[in-house]
Amino acid sequence: MSFPLAFLSLLVELGLGYPDRLVRKIGHPVIWIGKLISFLDTSLNRATDTDAVRRIWGVAALVVIVTVPATIAFVIERLFGLLPLGMLLTAIAASSLVAQRSLGSHVKAVADALDSGGIVAGRKAVSQIVGRDPERLDEAGVSRAAIESLAENFSDGITAPAFWLAIGGFAGGAAYKAANTADSMIGHRTSRHEAFGWAAARFDDLINLPASRLTALAIVLAAYFVPGADPKAAWDAVWRDAQKHRSPNAGWPEAAMAGALGLALAGPRAYGGVMVEDAFMGAGGRRDANAGDIRSALRLYWTADAILVGAIGLIGFAIWL
């Protein structure tokens, strides 16, 4: 167990983030992992192969995608462990796997854009964090998209990497980040990736199961401390709606957020000109979200994040003692 490492990593990222200057100079772990995935996709995913063969190559690619970053992270953690303040050095490196600051700032930018520049600016800002067609979105659609992205990425971008850091150390966190990146790049139901990306998509569903439930719980608890939020409605929405979502994981934090804010999130959405049917999270809630609702969601997010960090810290402290 590496709860102290997960706790320190979260604190480092909260304080420093991942500086843009560092991205420009050396890149980011997701960029490096993405290059590996692109190389394997180009090399192994051949249209001339049958779906069965492409699925086998997809499994092999996933093994490489997960193993390479995990092995590098394992070696780094062992080497840093030989140095004074080795855990702190490892935590600084591992902080690149979580994204508390960047998630909050990107979602806040959508609310700021709507307030200062109207729907055109709001669409541009939300296009940075969601994959749906921004031109089809009105102010309520932009606001709901931002809140849905906040809820889902809270789980995928913060709770899940922190969970796997706590369970498996730097290697566990790196393995998770690699698998999650693989899902975002090749885990799509397209003619190119339906077979090759099957393993990446299914594996990502599996490894996100604990975090999605924990994130929903954190949001429900946060609703007790955020004025205007409703913890009971959040809890009810989770149990009523979460399992109706087309994703086995995204529905949990989205339903909790929807219920807490009295909104109806998810539902039918357009991606690349194609309408995707989905159940509503927070069924019965209002759809006319606005920038104020985004800011309320951010207050819930930061409160839930504090609960998450505090819980990991308490467990880490108990282990350290």
Side-chain angles (χ1 to χ4, degrees), residues 37 51 64 120 129 170 193 232 264 269-270 279:
I37 296 167
D51 282 352
V64 174
V120 174
I129 57 174
F170 194 12
H193 291 123
K232 183 181 184 303
R269 288 157 290 179

Side-chain angles (χ1 to χ4, degrees), residues 99-118 121-122 124-126 128-129 142-143 145-147 149-151 290-299 301-302:
Q100 300 158 103
R101 282 170 61 100
S102 63
L103 176 58
S105 65
H106 277 93
V107 174
K108 181 178 181 296
V110 179
D112 291 344
L114 285 172
D115 284 339
S116 63
K124 182 178 180 180
V126 83
Q128 304 300 308
I129 57 174
V142 167
S143 300
I147 295 169
S149 180
L150 177 65
N290 54 42
D293 291 306
I294 299 176
R295 299 189 192 281
S296 295
L298 282 165
R299 285 191 288 273
Y301 160 68
W302 284 116

Side-chain angles (χ1 to χ4, degrees), residues 57-295:
W57 280 121
V59 172
L62 180 63
V63 171
V64 174
I65 291 164
V66 171
T67 302
V68 170
T71 301
I72 294 171
F74 177 80
V75 172
I76 290 173
E77 184 168 10
R78 285 302 180 96
L79 291 175
F80 281 168
L82 301 175
L83 302 174
L85 301 177
M87 181 175 286
L88 178 58
L89 293 173
T90 305
I92 291 172
S95 69
S96 63
L97 303 177
V98 293
Q100 300 158 103
R101 282 170 61 100
S102 63
L103 176 58
S105 65
H106 277 93
V107 174
K108 181 178 181 296
V110 179
D112 291 344
L114 285 172
D115 284 339
S116 63
I119 185 59
V120 174
R123 286 170 177 163
K124 182 178 180 180
V126 83
S127 70
Q128 304 300 308
I129 57 174
V130 300
R132 68 195 66 176
D133 301 337
E135 295 307 316
R136 292 190 173 205
L137 301 176
D138 57 10
E139 180 181 359
V142 167
S143 300
R144 290 195 305 272
I147 295 169
E148 291 162 15
S149 180
L150 177 65
E152 183 175 355
N153 284 291
F154 182 14
S155 179
D156 291 359
I158 299 161
T159 309
F163 176 86
W164 290 109
L165 277 169
I167 297 299
F170 194 12
Y176 168 78
K177 200 67 176 181
N180 185 244
T181 305
D183 176 61
S184 67
M185 291 182 66
I186 62 175
H188 307 296
R189 292 184 173 178
T190 61
S191 58
R192 176 166 179 80
H193 291 123
E194 177 80 36
F196 186 76
W198 171 83
R202 298 290 76 75
F203 187 61
D204 185 72
D205 287 343
L206 178 63
I207 60 178
N208 274 297
L209 282 171
S212 61
R213 278 68 174 168
L214 290 172
T215 303
L217 177 60
I219 292 171
V220 171
L221 293 175
Y224 283 98
F225 304 99
V226 175
D230 188 335
K232 183 181 184 303
W235 182 259
D236 290 344
V238 169
W239 287 109
R240 182 186 64 240
D241 302 329
Q243 295 184 59
K244 300 175 185 177
H245 199 287
R246 66 190 184 97
S247 163
N249 295 310
W252 292 77
E254 285 186 20
M257 187 72 77
L261 298 176
L263 296 173
L265 300 176
R269 288 157 290 179
Y271 294 88
V274 178
M275 287 299 298
V276 175
E277 295 297 324
D278 203 356
F280 286 106
M281 301 295 103
R286 58 187 174 85
R287 295 284 284 169
D288 59 336
N290 54 42
D293 291 306
I294 299 176
R295 299 189 192 281

